[in-house]
Amino acid sequence: DTGVSQDPRHKITKRGQNVTFRCDPISEHNRLYWYRQTLGQGPEFLTYFQNEAQLEKSRLLSDRFSAERPKGSFSTLEIQRTEQGDSAMYLCASTLGAGQPQHFGDGTRLSIL
Amino acid sequence: RKEVEQDPGPFNVPEGATVAFNCTYSNSASQSFFWYRQDCRKEPKLLMSVYSSGNEDGRFTAQLNRASQYISLLIRDSKLSDSATYLCVVNSPGSGNTGKLIFGQGTTLQVKP
């Protein structure tokens, strides 16, 4: 399978814990995006990488959130001191160009107890 | 006002029916438009891009009206397998050409036998 892959698929943790998610984009795609989706809503943009450079961050990305894409390949999204409001599906997408469709991974479903 | 607005439905239709979804977007500088399909608890998957001249893919027809900032999706001869949420998606024209996507809330379609 050469699509976007995300790990883990599900994460259940207690409030206050740190969590880290991983995304492996389609290999030739230099653009990588993170989105968050809550029940009944469409995905909302969190952050964008072009190669290894993080070029945009949404206001949704509080200082508890950090994302990296070392070497311009896989990316990680870390949430520190999780809160119940962080419960959501975290989606990663990649694409070749700005106007091109984005291809999504299966997502990581985060539940905060 | 939301950047991309859709009627959330649900639309309940019998098999074989024709159903149309509409969507409006607020930023007149938007350049790329898509319909994505999302099954329950799954990731969004590209259904089709939307072009100014309108485009068709089998039973699906998409239209774009830039003057009215309006996008539509028509599904003919509905199948049970068309039951899903349909997301109207617009490429954000913000500075830096990041290509981030702005999603509508989604319209839920339920096709009944």
Side-chain angles (χ1 to χ4, degrees):
Chain A
D1 187 348
T2 57
V4 179
S5 63
Q6 291 187 245
D7 183 70
R9 293 289 303 278
H10 303 275
K11 179 70 177 179
I12 301 173
T13 192
K14 292 182 179 178
R15 187 179 52 175
Q17 298 295 305
N18 299 343
V19 294
T20 300
F21 311 141
R22 176 179 170 126
C23 170
D24 287 86
I26 294 171
S27 58
E28 61 267 30
H29 287 181
N30 61 350
R31 291 172 177 255
L32 185 148
Y33 303 81
W34 285 97
Y35 294 86
R36 181 172 72 185
Q37 186 174 24
T38 53
L39 198 62
Q41 301 299 316
E44 294 176 290
F45 169 78
L46 291 179
T47 191
Y48 156 66
F49 289 86
Q50 183 160 342
N51 300 310
E52 68 278 5
Q54 187 176 19
L55 297 183
E56 185 172 350
K57 293 194 291 186
S58 162
R59 291 170 300 175
L60 293 176
L61 219 64
S62 76
D63 56 7
R64 296 185 298 107
F65 288 70
S66 62
E68 295 182 338
R69 192 182 181 197
K71 302 178 183 177
S73 56
F74 72 92
S75 176
T76 58
L77 177 67
E78 180 183 16
I79 309 174
Q80 296 182 325
R81 305 180 304 280
T82 52
E83 301 173 357
Q84 291 213 318
D86 297 332
S87 295
M89 171 86 93
Y90 289 83
L91 292 158
C92 176
S94 70
T95 189
L96 274 173
Q100 300 299 310
Q102 294 178 16
H103 302 270
F104 285 82
D106 292 340
T108 295
R109 188 170 295 279
L110 174 65
S111 297
I112 306 298
L113 301 178
Chain B
R1 183 188 171 191
K2 291 183 179 178
E3 291 186 71
V4 179
E5 297 211 52
Q6 293 181 254
D7 178 350
F11 284 60
N12 295 300
V13 303
E15 269 188 293
T18 295
V19 61
F21 305 140
N22 304 317
C23 161
T24 57
Y25 61 95
S26 61
N27 194 327
S28 60
S30 301
Q31 293 294 321
S32 303
F33 309 90
F34 311 96
W35 283 101
Y36 277 73
R37 170 194 169 128
Q38 187 170 29
D39 292 292
C40 188
R41 302 180 75 82
K42 299 283 191 180
E43 78 278 18
K45 292 186 177 177
L46 178 69
L47 180 64
M48 58 198 303
S49 300
V50 187
Y51 303 114
S52 297
S53 55
N55 48 299
E56 187 174 306
D57 183 1
R59 297 182 294 108
F60 299 84
T61 300
Q63 298 277 355
L64 168 65
N65 184 322
R66 285 187 184 271
S68 302
Q69 295 177 208
Y70 172 95
I71 307 163
S72 66
L73 177 68
L74 183 77
I75 305 175
R76 290 180 299 278
D77 187 23
S78 299
K79 312 290 185 192
L80 294 176
S81 57
D82 293 334
S83 298
T85 296
Y86 291 83
L87 295 161
C88 178
V89 186
V90 173
N91 180 283
S92 171
S95 64
N97 195 26
T98 64
K100 69 184 179 188
L101 299 179
I102 309 298
F103 288 79
Q105 180 182 359
T107 298
T108 299
L109 172 66
Q110 186 68 43
V111 181
K112 308 252 184 220

